[in-house]
Amino acid sequence: MVLVLVQPVYAGVSVLYQVAMNDGMSVWTLVVYRTLFAAASTLLLALSTESRAEKLHLARVGGVARVAGMLFGICGAMVITFYKGAEIPMWPTNINLVHHHGSRHGMSVSGIAWAVGCCFASAVSLTSQANLGRRYPYPYTITALTNFTASGVSVAMALGVEKDSSQWRLRPDVKLLAVLYSGILASGVAATLITWCVKLKGEMFAAAFSPLVSIFAGIAGALLLDERLHLGSILGAVLIWCGVFMVIWAKGRETTEEVVVELPVVQDSTATSPPNPITDTLELSDMNTIDVDAVVVYDSAVSWPPDRIDTLERSVNL
């Protein structure tokens, strides 16, 4: 539910960006202020509350379904982007926040390359969050530090590109609304919620919901920017929803499958009682055989000391 709810926030960013830039705001200063507001808001949240990688399991039905769901979502987003088809009639809202009557810019090779690069960077970010979250379980601080780093990079780039001093002035208009909304809600609150979801369910599960932003952006554009919905948007939305439900189903199936965990046991012929998991330290020869999400409980029915037993095998439900 959280991953679905944050997607309209990002859809709102695309609408406000378009309105703000149409009003004359530079994209460089827009990004700078977005990251600065995001860093400030998440730092306050972090200070007040905080002073293993995914496996595909392609040999299982759940693993195959999860990969297929991701592909469905990607294909759906591509259909929405590159295929229009017949126009879908909608109820008129008579709302156009852009008030732009000129011709729109088409797609370019450089624009597509930048978009693909952003998607790749987002994927790397999700993977990094998954690994970092296990070692540093403070999502507010992680988001705040990320935004402070982004602020430094964007300020350096903007100062080198944007020479017009008027672009740095913020007034109570749509430009201020755009940077506040995108900074506090999108890069602050929504990013923190995604970090929490990555820690809870993994990066592939969180990434499966990202194509939903195309659906919400299309709806917002039709209602607020006087854009038209087309058949491609409907087909893409169907593919995206199918992909999301496939990933959810696969994740649920994987969590109920039985996994055999092998726990190497250090044999001690002088021992008269089983090891205490709290006070005794076991020297494990291969930590990679242990699933960090599994809990192995000693069974008192097992004889002790072990008689030529090299490993204890336990079936656990994750």
Side-chain angles (χ1 to χ4, degrees), residues 11-244:
V13 170
S14 65
V15 173
L16 285 174
Y17 266 24
Q18 188 169 343
V19 175
M21 289 187 290
N22 184 77
D23 198 45
M25 189 173 192
S26 169
V27 67
W28 298 101
T29 55
L30 182 59
V31 173
V32 167
Y33 282 122
R34 169 179 176 167
T35 53
L36 286 174
F37 279 115
S41 62
T42 51
L43 178 63
L44 292 175
L45 190 59
L47 292 176
S48 62
T49 58
E50 306 168 344
S51 305
R52 110 207 114 170
E54 292 273 357
K55 293 184 178 180
L56 293 179
H57 299 299
L58 293 179
R60 304 175 186 171
V61 176
V64 175
R66 184 159 56 162
V67 174
M70 297 291 293
L71 294 177
F72 267 75
I74 295 173
C75 292
M78 298 295 286
V79 169
I80 292 177
T81 303
F82 296 107
Y83 175 70
K84 288 188 176 297
E87 183 177 323
I88 304 297
M90 290 187 61
W91 61 93
T93 60
N94 298 320
I95 299 176
N96 186 359
L97 297 180
V98 176
H99 301 292
H100 181 68
H101 301 287
S103 60
R104 294 179 180 273
H105 296 288
M107 290 181 293
S108 63
V109 175
S110 60
I112 295 175
W114 279 111
V116 173
C118 289
C119 293
F120 177 77
S122 178
V124 174
S125 174
L126 285 176
T127 304
S128 302
Q129 288 178 26
N131 295 327
L132 179 61
R134 297 184 183 95
R135 295 167 174 79
Y136 190 75
Y138 305 105
Y140 304 139
T141 304
I142 291 174
T143 306
L145 293 175
T146 301
N147 285 310
F148 270 113
T149 304
S151 299
V153 174
S154 57
V155 166
M157 293 184 64
L159 289 177
V161 175
E162 187 54 66
K163 305 299 183 181
D164 187 0
S165 60
S166 64
Q167 289 289 342
W168 295 92
R169 300 193 189 103
L170 288 179
R171 300 180 179 87
D173 54 14
V174 70
K175 300 175 185 177
L176 179 60
L177 176 62
V179 296
L180 287 175
Y181 178 93
S182 61
I184 297 176
L185 286 182
S187 295
V189 177
T192 302
L193 291 174
I194 290 178
T195 301
W196 174 74
C197 291
V198 167
K199 178 184 176 183
L200 190 67
K201 290 292 187 180
E203 59 270 32
M204 286 191 66
F205 186 82
F209 289 81
S210 297
L212 288 177
V213 70
S214 300
I215 299 177
F216 292 116
I219 296 174
L223 296 177
L224 302 176
L225 301 179
D226 196 28
E227 294 181 348
R228 299 290 184 265
L229 283 181
H230 295 82
L231 179 62
S233 301
I234 304 300
L235 295 178
V238 171
L239 289 174
I240 290 173
W241 279 114
C242 289
V244 169

